Amino acid sequence: MDYFFEERENLRFDFYDVDSKSPNLSKHDFLGQMFCTLGEIVGSQGSRLEKSIVGIPGKKCGTVIVTAEELGCCRDSVLMQFCANKLDKKDFFGKSDPFLVFHRSNEDGSFTICHKTEVVKNTLNPVWQAFKISVRALCNGDYDRTIKVEVYDWDRDGSHDFIGEFTTSYRELSRGQSQFNVYEVINPKKKGKKKKYVNSGTVTLLSFLIETEVSFLDYIKGGTQINFTVAIDFTASNGNPSQPTSLHYMNPYQLNAYGMALRAVGEIIQDYDSDKMFPALGFGARLPPDGRVSHEFALNGNPQNPYCHGIDGVMEAYYRSLKCVQLYGPTNFAPVINHVARYAASVKDGSQYFVLLIITDGVISDMAQTKESIVNASKLPMSIIIVGVGPAEFDAMEELDGDVVRISSRGRFAERDIVQFVPFRDYIDRSGNHVLSMARLAKDVLAEIPEQFLSYMRVRGIKPSPAPPPYTPPIHVLQTQI
């Protein structure tokens, strides 16, 4: 099945004892079921999840082990270089201007162009530049599928002259430079007409190098943890939490915008964090007992240990804070960004990556400091998601997002784009179906994370750790009497 980091893909496994050939499940014994998400499986150590089977009250139904493996051949690319000798002369003045066209064959016998080389001018013995192509594009991952290569003489008016063609396959090419990879270029028309026709030249493979592209899942499988931190805006512009008009209103019957955004993003990211302990911070409030203003306080009231257990723990700490702090201001982002950056700076070996979710109602007060913090953080293993709630203008947030213009501070540009901003109001479903609209919100803010994660690893030259060995069940050795 297809895997998307940014989506919650729910799975259900049902277990039955087959009693007959009937296709009707009710005719067989139900043994239990297991629910999980695809993220839970790939986020487990070695992409191996062990979970209890449930569904029959008062009965232990055993456990199920599910492993996930990313399809491998799809990710290889090859770097190839070709040259040719003694090609047919096609131009009246001068020699030929040859180029190659590669086609992969389709299931129905037709061919699709997958690569064209550059034109080498005025020679019958061209050497083309090396080129890189994915194995998927070259042969759809099928090593024995026919690859057809045509040789043309380039003409300015686009009526390129056909010199000849040959066929090969990925398996043949993978032998590299050898006598097997010298191909006769044949022009079928000439071959049919002339008895003495041998060929229209030869094409030789000079080099063949396989490169495997590493994926986000290679790192997750190798044990990289994603640490999730939440920062919530407690400034007075949100409105008094006891009033229904407030963005922080604690409605007993449904989540407010802060709660919805937090759940939507948190429930997906939590699958990639093994201890499920999430630091939850607030900013812009006056704290008891003395009313000092803080821009990075622990929602659970414990500055030494701001960690909350699971998304439910974060929600609980958020509600607790609303009851005991006073909403104030200004709206400063830099302190919470720097808070996460301090942790990220201490583990730059690729074993951990940090995602900070900031939920805010708006207009930012410390723009210059925030830009500076983001430029500094762009060198660290971290990404920032900003969800804007309420009706305010979010122009400043669009600037931080950096999709149009890369963010800079005092002449220094961010090393990579690490901020993703979305306004919550774009996702409010008028019909009241919050489940679908929150799935859309999570998809849009999380979709860029794997690429941001990979860009950090690439720039630093960090390769994924090897995955732990696959699970093999213990073998019971039978003692035999001799």
Side-chain angles (χ1 to χ4, degrees):
M1 57 189 294
D2 291 329
Y3 161 77
F4 302 101
F5 169 74
E6 65 273 16
E7 291 180 19
R8 188 180 169 92
E9 299 175 78
N10 293 310
L11 304 177
R12 185 181 98 198
F13 297 86
D14 288 356
F15 300 88
Y16 286 89
D17 171 34
V18 175
D19 286 328
S20 66
K21 288 197 165 73
S22 167
N24 184 350
L25 281 176
S26 63
K27 298 276 191 286
H28 306 280
D29 297 331
F30 176 65
L31 301 176
Q33 57 191 175
M34 188 274 271
F35 299 89
C36 67
T37 65
L38 186 54
E40 235 179 302
I41 303 170
V42 300
S44 302
Q45 194 184 353
S47 299
R48 172 185 177 272
L49 175 70
E50 190 166 335
K51 222 172 169 181
S52 296
I53 300 171
V54 298
I56 303 175
K59 190 173 174 210
K60 279 206 168 84
C61 303
T63 55
V64 57
I65 294 162
V66 190
T67 53
E69 184 182 346
E70 192 172 13
L71 292 175
C73 78
C74 311
R75 300 208 315 264
D76 286 353
S77 294
V78 284
L79 191 67
M80 294 189 276
Q81 187 176 19
F82 289 87
C83 69
N85 288 86
K86 298 183 180 161
L87 293 174
D88 283 356
K89 175 176 176 312
K90 288 285 185 183
D91 288 350
F92 195 66
F93 303 107
K95 299 174 179 160
S96 294
D97 305 318
F99 67 97
L100 300 177
V101 182
F102 289 75
H103 304 255
R104 72 163 176 270
S105 58
N106 303 316
E107 296 288 343
D108 62 0
S110 63
F111 285 92
T112 304
I113 293 182
C114 57
H115 182 75
K116 282 182 186 169
T117 66
E118 79 285 3
V119 177
V120 182
K121 290 289 183 71
N122 199 24
T123 174
L124 302 178
N125 302 301
V127 178
W128 289 281
Q129 288 171 10
F131 65 91
K132 187 174 172 181
I133 184 169
S134 74
V135 174
R136 212 186 281 164
L138 187 63
C139 61
N140 211 3
D142 176 352
Y143 292 178
D144 296 303
R145 189 174 287 208
T146 302
I147 297 167
K148 181 169 80 174
V149 185
E150 296 176 329
V151 188
Y152 283 95
D153 165 41
W154 178 84
D155 282 329
R156 177 167 280 107
D157 63 4
S159 62
H160 310 310
D161 299 319
F162 178 64
I163 295 176
E165 63 186 20
F166 63 91
T167 59
T168 179
S169 68
Y170 178 90
R171 196 176 301 284
E172 282 180 59
L173 291 169
S174 66
R175 292 169 164 183
Q177 189 184 10
S178 66
Q179 77 269 26
F180 302 110
N181 277 314
V182 178
Y183 297 94
E184 286 194 277
V185 177
I186 302 295
N187 183 329
K189 273 189 185 160
K190 275 192 169 182
K191 194 175 180 180
K193 282 182 187 164
K194 299 181 180 176
K195 286 216 167 81
K196 287 185 177 172
Y197 176 79
V198 181
N199 61 40
S200 298
T202 58
V203 169
T204 303
L205 174 70
L206 291 175
S207 65
F208 183 94
L209 193 69
I210 301 170
E211 292 181 9
T212 300
E213 303 282 333
V214 290
S215 73
F216 172 69
L217 281 184
D218 289 329
Y219 290 93
I220 298 299
K221 201 164 187 172
T224 297
Q225 289 288 311
I226 294 185
N227 296 300
F228 180 49
T229 303
V230 184
I232 289 180
D233 180 335
F234 282 83
T235 54
S237 50
N238 282 284
N240 181 342
S242 60
Q243 302 295 320
T245 51
S246 169
L247 295 167
H248 278 308
Y249 178 56
M250 290 164 68
N251 181 338
Y253 302 108
Q254 80 174 73
L255 293 172
N256 61 29
Y258 280 89
M260 282 184 354
L262 177 61
R263 267 214 184 285
V265 178
E267 285 189 340
I268 289 174
I269 288 195
Q270 68 177 353
D271 285 340
Y272 300 88
D273 189 318
S274 60
D275 65 6
K276 311 276 183 275
M277 297 298 288
F278 308 118
L281 309 170
F283 57 92
R286 296 177 83 163
L287 306 189
D290 51 1
R292 68 186 173 84
V293 176
S294 171
H295 295 292
E296 56 167 304
F297 61 91
L299 296 189
N300 64 5
N302 181 351
Q304 273 70 48
N305 184 2
Y307 292 86
C308 306
H309 191 266
I311 300 305
D312 291 337
V314 176
M315 299 293 289
E316 216 173 285
Y318 162 57
Y319 291 136
R320 179 201 156 279
S321 278
L322 279 178
K323 292 192 182 106
C324 62
V325 305
Q326 182 194 348
L327 303 192
Y328 205 67
T331 307
N332 290 356
F333 281 8
V336 290
I337 295 173
N338 294 339
H339 176 101
V340 175
R342 283 196 295 277
Y343 287 94
S346 66
V347 277
K348 295 189 197 160
D349 61 356
S351 63
Q352 301 191 37
Y353 192 86
F354 295 78
V355 175
L356 167 62
L357 169 64
I358 300 176
I359 312 177
T360 177
D361 79 328
V363 187
I364 182 169
S365 316
D366 64 340
M367 192 65 174
Q369 291 89 328
T370 294
K371 282 176 154 181
E372 176 80 1
S373 298
I374 290 170
V375 170
N376 291 338
S378 69
K379 297 187 180 65
L380 301 172
M382 69 182 276
S383 290
I384 300 166
I385 295 167
I386 304 172
V387 177
V389 294
E393 282 303 318
F394 291 119
D395 303 2
M397 303 299 163
E398 297 289 1
E399 189 183 336
L400 295 180
D401 190 312
D403 277 348
V404 183
V405 179
R406 182 62 63 91
I407 188 170
S408 64
S409 170
R410 299 189 296 184
R412 289 187 310 132
F413 280 85
E415 186 179 293
R416 30 190 268 283
D417 174 20
I418 62 165
V419 180
Q420 177 67 354
F421 166 74
V422 297
F424 185 82
R425 57 172 172 251
D426 290 1
Y427 298 87
I428 298 299
D429 192 315
R430 298 280 169 259
S431 66
N433 184 345
H434 296 311
V435 177
L436 282 177
S437 50
M438 287 308 97
R440 265 187 26 249
L441 174 113
K443 190 179 162 94
D444 286 357
V445 293
L446 293 171
E448 289 186 15
I449 299 267
E451 194 38 56
Q452 291 177 5
F453 174 104
L454 286 170
S455 74
Y456 174 79
M457 301 298 180
R458 275 198 290 264
V459 168
R460 296 286 173 282
I462 298 168
K463 297 271 181 273
S465 303
Y471 172 77
T472 44
I475 296 165
H476 299 293
V477 180
L478 293 171
Q479 294 290 324
T480 50
Q481 299 287 316
I482 295 176

